[in-house]
Amino acid sequence: MEVSTLGALSALVVAIFLILRKVPPAYGMIVGALVGGIVGGVDLSSTVNLMMGGAKGIIPAVMRILAAGVLAGVLIESGAAASIADTIVKKVGETRALLALAIATMILTAVGVFIDVAVITVAPIALAIARQADLSKMAILLAMIGGGKAGNVMSPNPNAIAAADAFHVPLTSVMAAGIVPGLVGLVVAYFIAKKLVNKGSKVEASEVVAFDRKALPSFATAIVAPLVAIILLSLRPVFGIVIDPLLALPLGGLLGALAMGRFKDSNQFAVAGLGRMAPVAIMLLGTGTLAGIIGASSLKTVLIEALQSSGLPAYMLAPISGALMSLATASTTAGTVVASQVFSSTLLELAVPALAGAAMIHAGSTVFDHMPHGSFFHATGGAVNMSITERLKVIPYETAVGLSITIVSTLIFGVFKF
């Protein structure tokens, strides 16, 4: 019951077309998967079975992602994320404003805040600094996006959870594998952003929004939630004590709320966090149906044959598949899910270690996750009041940051096999 390569490509093309037409990504990918199966020569009943099988494979990751909503809700709704960002910017100093913004966004994303939410959280600080220091919107946006991409490959976010689940490796190992590539991406983003300080539009006085720093929790209490979560997750590789992210992430959030004196608001935080995670979980179920069709197709064979004929080593399948799937879905998470679900078994058969495959797919999924048919493109542009035309001009620079992260990850886990 193999789907033809034409069917797999049709699934991707239809999904992209529908998402561009503003169809919800989950529906777009479900319809794409359905069309792909039928075009690929599989009957309707078998197509549905393949789609259901793909969605079933993603359920463990979906459960952990929903649990992570407690941590995300506490960080965002309590003001902890804003407190962490504000403290980092003040410590680094406005003389190194772009570096401060990049580091702040990296830290927020690394501790479990979605990259688009991290950018939106840091944006008010960035706009105020940009107005004072006469920096362009392109410069501050790239600094934040670059920092976000850096933090994303070392975070307990949905993309890392999906990669860890698909390759059956500890979440903390996937997070640790992204540290060096992420830091390189941070540096690349900073130096590119410095070149853009006078390119594009500047921040107007009316765009600067004041916020009450006194209402934010202290940095010491704000950092408790992510710190507890990461410590609990680290018990597995350090002491062999397994605490699943399903428990570690919400427990970190609850203890963080307690440390901030906001435990009575835990349910409110959890509801808000679930509201943020639910669209991602729903999207991933749609992504699973697409992965089911692509996984049952001959596309894997075609890609492997293309690699062999080009003379590239087998491990290159990991970063290339991650990049291609992020291009198709315009999402780090969806790109990681599809690439991991479809190519994990093939990579293992090709003697690519599980952690290496997970790390390189994860890194590759940052190359094109900012394309215009995804929500990240629009959310980040809106955060700094940037026009669509100007936002499009940032894409090459974002791609360069993602590519630098991917190259370093491939060198570490593919070429030198650390």
Side-chain angles (χ1 to χ4, degrees):
M1 194 169 57
E2 186 176 73
V3 179
S4 69
T5 301
L6 176 62
L9 293 175
S10 298
L12 291 172
V13 169
V14 170
I16 292 170
F17 173 77
L18 291 175
I19 293 170
L20 283 171
R21 299 292 295 177
K22 306 301 181 186
V23 173
Y27 287 149
M29 286 186 274
I30 289 171
V31 174
L34 186 62
V35 171
I38 294 170
V39 171
V42 179
D43 63 74
L44 185 59
S45 177
S46 299
T47 296
V48 172
N49 286 336
L50 289 173
M51 292 168 62
M52 295 296 284
K56 182 180 178 181
I58 201 64
I59 286 175
V62 169
M63 291 295 295
R64 294 182 175 98
I65 288 164
L66 291 175
V70 178
L71 175 61
V74 168
L75 285 171
I76 297 163
E77 300 300 320
S78 68
S83 173
I84 293 169
D86 189 48
T87 302
I88 292 168
V89 169
K90 285 195 292 188
K91 292 294 183 184
V92 176
E94 290 190 8
T95 54
R96 297 185 181 86
L98 293 174
L99 181 61
L101 295 175
I103 291 174
T105 317
M106 180 185 74
I107 296 295
L108 287 188
T109 315
V111 299
V113 178
F114 280 6
I115 181 171
D116 52 351
V117 177
V119 172
I120 291 168
T121 301
V122 178
I125 303 170
L127 289 169
I129 291 175
R131 175 67 182 173
Q132 185 174 339
D134 195 33
L135 305 174
S136 71
K137 290 182 180 180
M138 287 181 68
I140 61 171
L141 182 59
L142 182 67
M144 291 187 290
I145 288 174
K149 284 180 182 285
N152 212 11
V153 292
M154 57 176 95
S155 74
N157 274 333
N159 30 282
I161 292 171
D165 279 2
F167 283 92
H168 305 291
V169 293
L171 175 58
T172 42
S173 297
V174 176
M175 292 164 61
I179 292 175
V180 173
L183 291 175
V184 171
L186 176 77
V187 173
V188 170
Y190 171 61
F191 281 108
I192 295 176
K194 284 182 69 176
K195 300 291 184 182
L196 300 176
V197 291
N198 294 312
K199 187 171 183 177
S201 62
K202 297 294 179 72
V203 177
E204 301 293 333
S206 60
E207 295 177 303
V208 177
V209 179
F211 61 96
D212 186 7
R213 286 184 166 89
K214 293 179 181 179
L216 298 178
S218 68
F219 178 81
T221 58
I223 202 69
V224 168
L227 200 59
V228 169
I230 291 170
I231 289 172
L232 291 175
L233 290 171
S234 300
L235 293 177
R236 177 175 177 175
V238 177
F239 299 108
I241 301 172
V242 180
I243 299 182
D244 195 275
L246 188 70
L247 300 175
L249 298 177
L251 187 57
L254 292 173
L255 291 178
L258 182 65
M260 289 183 284
R262 301 286 302 276
F263 191 76
K264 66 180 185 300
D265 298 320
S266 295
N267 190 55
Q268 175 189 333
F269 297 153
V271 170
L274 182 62
R276 292 182 182 276
M277 292 295 182
V280 178
I282 292 168
M283 180 194 70
L284 289 187
L285 290 174
T287 304
T289 65
L290 189 64
I293 295 298
I294 297 174
S297 75
S298 53
L299 181 61
K300 291 185 293 185
T301 306
V302 170
L303 284 177
I304 293 168
E305 289 175 351
L307 281 173
Q308 291 173 340
S309 62
S310 67
L312 292 172
Y315 61 74
M316 287 301 296
L317 179 62
I320 289 173
S321 64
L324 289 176
M325 293 306 112
S326 73
L327 177 62
T329 60
S331 165
T332 317
T333 303
T336 303
V337 167
V338 176
S340 297
Q341 291 288 324
V342 172
F343 296 102
S344 57
S345 58
T346 304
L347 286 165
L348 294 173
E349 289 170 8
L350 294 170
V352 176
L355 179 58
M360 289 187 284
I361 283 178
H362 194 198
S365 296
T366 66
V367 178
F368 298 115
D369 58 350
H370 45 263
M371 299 307 285
H373 56 286
S375 60
F376 177 76
F377 173 90
H378 301 281
T380 51
V384 294
N385 305 308
M386 183 179 282
S387 69
I388 295 292
T389 303
E390 188 173 8
R391 179 67 184 85
L392 286 168
K393 294 177 182 177
V394 185
I395 288 178
Y397 306 114
E398 298 170 272
T399 303
V401 174
L403 197 57
S404 68
I405 292 171
T406 304
I407 289 170
V408 173
S409 181
T410 304
L411 287 173
I412 293 173
F413 296 100
V415 178
F416 298 116
K417 296 179 172 58
F418 282 111

